Structures are given as C-alpha cells and as structure tokens.
Amino acid sequence: MTSASATYTVSGMTCGHCVGTVKSEVGKIAGVTAVDVDLATGKVTVTGDEPIGETLVREAVEEAGYELTAV
C-alpha cells in the first residue's frame, strides 16, 4: 500500500487543545490515515492513502479556527 504525505504551516495554534482540534478536523477528511501536528513549529503533516487536496486541508484547518499559511 502506498501513501502520500504533505506538510503545511498553520498559524494561531498556541496550546495542546489547539493541536487536538486541528488533528480532529483534518483527521475527518476522507482518505486521511495520519495527522501529525508540531505545536512548536506550527507544522501539520497529513498522510493519506492518496494525495489529499490542499483545499480540503485548508477547509478543515479553518473549520478548527486556524489558518493554513504555507504549503
């Protein structure tokens, strides 16, 4: 089985609750198999069975209340 991952920068996360919220929302995207959030760097790595569209990730991050600032 192959997988694809992409790393994004998210702004506005300040605590563990923020991390959990982003992980939860991004994890709801169909095809996502793993979400790794690094609070210190603001990096969010999304892994899926196939590439996950940036638009879907952006929408999930915004739903969580944060902003995707870089890919």
Side-chain angles (χ1 to χ4, degrees):
M1 176 200 236
T2 61
S3 65
S5 65
T7 301
Y8 305 91
T9 303
V10 174
S11 66
M13 296 185 300
T14 58
C15 65
H17 177 75
C18 299
V19 169
T21 303
V22 170
K23 278 181 116 168
S24 176
E25 286 299 326
V26 174
K28 293 177 185 175
I29 299 171
V32 169
T33 56
V35 181
D36 182 53
V37 181
D38 185 328
L39 179 61
T41 63
K43 301 288 186 194
V44 177
T45 302
V46 181
T47 304
D49 296 329
E50 56 189 46
I52 306 298
E54 177 189 342
T55 301
L56 292 173
V57 175
R58 181 178 303 278
E59 289 171 356
V61 167
E62 289 175 357
E63 181 68 28
Y66 306 96
E67 182 182 0
L68 192 84
T69 56
V71 178

